[in-house]
Amino acid sequence: MADETPNTATDTNAPQPSLQIVGQYIKDLSFENPNAPASLASGPAPQIAISINVGAQKQDDDIFAVELTINAKAERDDNILFNVELVYGGLFNIKNFPENQIHPLVMIECPRLIFPFARQILSTVTQNGGFPPLLMEPVDFSTIYRQNLEAAAAKIKEGDDKTVN
């Protein structure tokens, strides 16, 4: 006797969520070594400042462009050793996700997928510029996302406080 209990756990006819990388690109790449060749002389370890920003824009129904802007600046004794800026992007096809999951997916998961490629470019560029390769640690994009949400909420609250007076 066959079991006729319907399988309600999975609906095989429902479209499955999918996230695909359609393409990746360098939008902008700039490397400056303003004090060369003096900047290549050995000395104390430089101070390196790195900033990362994530931007995204919907291109079409299911296509999103996600761009990482990474700036790295190395200084020693108030002299710039190098300054590098990279805008690295990816096109993503995102289908069948609930609407409330799209924004975090675009701002956390998509950057996580393209970051290793951007990190490799920065490493290669700094090495080709005469310096040791810049080896960036992995980035927690969920923390950046939460911080950006908190900053946006604070800005909105600040605007509300000003209108109350």
Side-chain angles (χ1 to χ4, degrees), residues 52 112 115-116 119 135-141 144:
I52 299 174
R112 188 188 67 74
F115 177 73
R119 179 176 53 197
L135 302 174
M136 294 179 60
E137 294 291 324
V139 174
D140 182 357
F141 289 101
I144 293 172

